[in-house]
């Protein structure tokens, strides 16, 4: 072994050994070592040995998240509610290299073998996939309910502060670059109503209804009788109260439960806004078969969900799986349209709205920043940091076409193939 390899490294030197092109930010460690350019717009400060152990035992986004969420890693130069600029800098300029076995041994020996023992994860972290397996197969009713509750049953007040007046946690549709978040959320619901060709007196089933935004919009503005269903008890309670406050009880209902337990049938339309991401690709056949079974002939379905730019099936990364959407799974719009077609639904229109989701996430981050102190009265600082990381990171992913947002509009043809469909789209007028 050469003298250089045998030399003990400080933390900053160890980090530099892993970089291809140096650091685009300033780095300071609790052992007094520093690296990166002075005067950089961003400073990462590793405060203690637990943070170092987080980074060593889970290299990548999970270890970073653990250290950051726990407060063991500070990022100076950003607001924790919107770390978008920091993520752009890091993801565009940070390049890791693969060290030789001798270099890796030197790094680990210098940093301490004791730091290869994983510390207890932050309280905000969900169980890993292998431990969730003891709860049963993915996407059974019990495990789905627990996954949804982990994310959504946080604090309705927290969501009010982040999401805004519409209380809508799905991609908005911006009618113009100047439109506000609230205007864009109104347009999203209205566009879906127009695509479904809703008319007074018709019946709509909204599965995965969240806080009831679609339920209320369809009832209030289109005179439709709506049943919404969500696995989140907190969402259902909030939605029911808002329906009552707006005097829509004669038209709208928000239920707490699994969509698979809905017994009513013969609906004129079914909307699913942000649910498909949670159900798993293997469940697509039964999911679309359920929707088809609930529609009357000529009835329409609108499926709104996050997709991949290819048709490979991928689980979410470690950070998203542990901190945001346990058991989440994404694939391309092609897989969705095939699954819908194979149940007898006829796909009539597909639209990609990924830029709109990037704009939506920017709006949510602005709300989190503006309401940061109030948010910390509702959730831990670690939980608020999680939301900042994942929303800013998701914004960047939509901008880079790493993920997309698709509307798939389909119809259940009647006897002889009659789809009751206009010659040209009517929802654009």
């Amino acid at each position: 072994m050469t003298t250089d390899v045998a030399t003990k490294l400080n933390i900053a030197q160890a980090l530099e050994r892993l970089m291809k092109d140096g650091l685009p930010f300033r780095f300071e460690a609790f052992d007094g070592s520093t690296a990166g350019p002075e005067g950089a717009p961003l400073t990462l400060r590793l405060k203690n040995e637990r943070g170092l152990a987080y980074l060593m035992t889970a290299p990548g986004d999970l270890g970073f998240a653990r250290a950051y969420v726990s407060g063991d890693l500070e990022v100076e130069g950003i607001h924790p509610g919107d770390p978008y600029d920091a993520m752009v800098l890091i993801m565009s300029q940070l390049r890791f290299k693969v060290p030789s076995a001798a270099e890796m041994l030197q790094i680990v020996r210098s940093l301490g073998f004791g730091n290869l023992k994983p510390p207890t994860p932050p309280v905000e972290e969900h169980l890993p996939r292998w431990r969730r397996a003891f709860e049963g197969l993915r996407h059974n009713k019990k495990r789905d309910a627990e996954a949804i509750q982990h994310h959504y049953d946080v604090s309705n007040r927290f969501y009010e502060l982040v999401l805004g007046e519409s209380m809508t946690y799905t991609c908005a549709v911006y009618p113009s670059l100047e439109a506000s978040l609230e205007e864009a959320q109104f347009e999203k619901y209205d566009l879906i109503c127009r695509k479904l060709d809703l008319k007074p007196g018709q019946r709509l089933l909204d599965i995965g209804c969240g806080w009831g935004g679609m339920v209320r919009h369809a009832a209030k503005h289109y005179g439709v009788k709506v049943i919404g269903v969500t696995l989140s008890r907190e969402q259902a309670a909030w939605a029911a109260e808002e329906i009552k406050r707006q005097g829509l009880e004669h038209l709208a209902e928000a239920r707490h439960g699994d969509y698979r337990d809905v017994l009513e049938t013969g609906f004129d339309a079914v909307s699913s806004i942000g649910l498909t991401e949670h159900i798993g690709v293997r469940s697509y056949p039964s999911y679309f078969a359920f929707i088809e079974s609930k529609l009357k002939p000529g009835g329409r379905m609108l499926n709104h969900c996050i997709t991949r730019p290819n048709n490979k099936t991928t689980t979410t990364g470690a950070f998203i799986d542990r901190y945001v959407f346990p058991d989440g799974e994404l694939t391309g719009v092609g897989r969705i349209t095939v699954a819908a077609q194979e149940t007898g639904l006829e796909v009539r229109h597909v639209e990609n709205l990924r830029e709109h989701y990037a704009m939506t996430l920017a709006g949510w981050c602005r709300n989190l920043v503006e309401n940061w102190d109030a948010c910390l009265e509702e959730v831990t600082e670690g939980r608020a940091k999680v939301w900042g990381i994942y929303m800013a990171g998701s914004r960047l992913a939509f901008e880079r076409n790493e993920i997309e947002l698709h509307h798939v509009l389909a119809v259940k043809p009647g006897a002889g193939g009659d789809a009751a469909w206009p010659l040209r789209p009517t929802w654009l007028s």
Side-chain angles (χ1 to χ4, degrees):
M1 182 179 291
T2 66
T3 303
D4 179 60
V5 173
T7 302
K8 184 175 181 179
L9 306 172
N10 59 38
I11 296 174
Q13 289 170 332
L15 179 61
E16 287 183 309
R17 287 291 180 94
L18 298 173
M19 298 295 106
K20 278 186 176 181
D21 307 312
L23 291 171
F25 51 79
R26 185 70 172 167
F27 176 78
E28 301 174 357
F30 61 90
D31 65 351
S33 63
T34 61
E38 293 186 21
L42 199 67
T43 299
L44 271 66
R45 188 172 294 112
L46 185 62
K47 296 176 62 177
N48 52 48
E49 200 150 2
R50 184 178 68 174
L52 177 61
Y54 278 139
L55 296 174
M56 290 180 65
T57 55
D61 64 346
L62 182 59
F64 177 89
R66 286 172 170 169
Y68 178 66
V69 168
S70 65
D72 299 333
L73 179 68
E74 292 181 345
V75 183
E76 184 180 294
I78 63 162
H79 191 289
D82 189 5
Y84 173 79
D85 290 339
M87 299 184 84
V88 170
L89 175 69
I90 292 171
M91 293 179 69
S92 62
Q93 297 187 32
L94 198 63
R95 297 288 182 269
F96 289 93
K97 67 180 181 181
V98 179
S100 67
E103 286 178 314
M104 198 68 238
L105 178 61
Q106 180 195 19
I107 290 171
V108 173
R109 180 179 288 149
S110 297
L111 299 181
F113 287 102
N115 288 317
L116 293 178
K117 180 181 179 181
T120 302
V123 296
E124 292 81 6
E125 184 170 319
H126 197 47
L127 295 173
R129 285 191 180 98
W130 68 268
R131 287 191 60 185
R132 297 201 296 268
F134 293 107
E135 302 169 6
L137 295 175
R138 257 190 300 175
H139 305 301
N140 66 37
K141 290 182 179 179
K142 178 177 181 293
R143 186 161 162 180
D144 277 353
E146 290 175 352
I148 292 296
Q149 288 158 13
H150 170 81
H151 186 70
Y152 293 103
D153 289 355
V154 177
S155 159
N156 280 334
R157 179 58 183 156
F158 173 77
Y159 278 109
E160 288 173 352
L161 293 165
V162 174
L163 303 181
E165 186 179 329
S166 70
M167 200 62 164
T168 299
Y169 199 16
T170 47
C171 175
V173 175
Y174 284 78
S176 70
L177 293 174
E178 296 75 29
S180 69
L181 176 61
E182 292 304 316
E183 290 170 337
Q185 291 294 12
F186 183 97
E187 173 62 18
K188 182 267 296 296
Y189 286 131
D190 208 68
L191 176 62
I192 293 174
C193 289
R194 299 196 308 268
K195 285 183 173 181
L196 291 172
D197 196 29
L198 296 181
K199 296 179 175 62
Q202 290 186 333
R203 296 171 63 237
L204 168 69
L205 174 63
D206 184 42
I207 56 178
C209 71
W211 290 275
M214 179 65 184
V215 172
R216 295 190 304 277
H217 190 99
K220 182 176 182 179
H221 298 284
Y222 286 81
V224 174
K225 297 180 180 178
V226 194
I227 294 174
V229 60
T230 174
L231 279 172
S232 167
R233 190 180 301 276
E234 292 295 318
Q235 286 182 332
W238 193 98
E241 183 62 29
E242 187 63 14
I243 287 169
K244 182 178 179 181
R245 190 187 71 82
Q246 294 191 22
L248 298 171
E249 306 101 307
H250 62 297
L251 291 174
E253 176 188 357
R255 296 179 184 174
H256 171 241
D258 195 294
Y259 75 89
R260 290 164 285 196
D261 294 331
V262 174
L263 299 178
E264 292 90 342
T265 189
F267 289 93
D268 297 280
V270 174
S271 54
S272 175
I273 308 172
L275 173 66
T276 321
E277 300 90 332
H278 298 288
I279 66 172
V281 175
R282 289 186 179 181
S283 299
Y284 283 6
S286 59
Y287 165 74
F288 285 108
F290 169 87
I291 292 175
E292 192 275 343
S293 73
K294 295 301 173 183
L295 287 169
K296 63 171 57 174
R300 298 187 185 186
M301 173 213 73
L302 188 291
N303 194 82
H304 163 129
C305 74
I306 299 171
T307 54
R308 292 287 189 200
N310 57 59
N311 288 306
K312 297 176 182 178
T313 300
T314 57
T315 54
T316 52
F319 165 68
I320 295 293
D321 183 67
R322 301 283 188 93
Y323 285 89
V324 186
F325 294 116
D327 290 340
E329 202 170 50
L330 298 177
T331 190
V333 67
R335 295 286 297 276
I336 293 170
T337 58
V338 167
Q341 288 172 325
E342 289 183 347
T343 65
L345 294 169
E346 181 186 3
V347 175
R348 302 297 301 246
H349 189 267
V350 176
E351 183 174 7
N352 187 353
L353 295 163
R354 69 176 177 87
E355 292 89 352
H356 294 260
Y357 217 154
M359 295 170 68
T360 304
L361 287 154
W364 290 340
C365 280
R366 282 194 298 272
N367 287 344
L368 180 55
V369 170
E370 292 172 4
N371 297 299
W372 183 256
D373 291 341
C375 286
L376 295 188
E377 295 177 5
E378 302 296 324
V379 300
T380 65
E381 183 174 2
R383 177 66 64 191
K385 285 180 177 179
V386 165
W387 257 244
I389 296 172
Y390 112 79
M391 291 193 300
S394 296
R395 172 187 171 186
L396 188 57
F398 279 109
E399 289 175 347
R400 293 184 171 192
N401 196 29
E402 295 169 3
I403 48 179
E404 300 172 339
L405 188 288
H406 275 93
H407 276 190
V408 174
L409 179 62
V411 65
K412 178 178 179 176
D418 181 17
W421 204 268
L423 291 177
R424 300 298 301 155
T426 57
W427 55 84
L428 300 177
S429 56

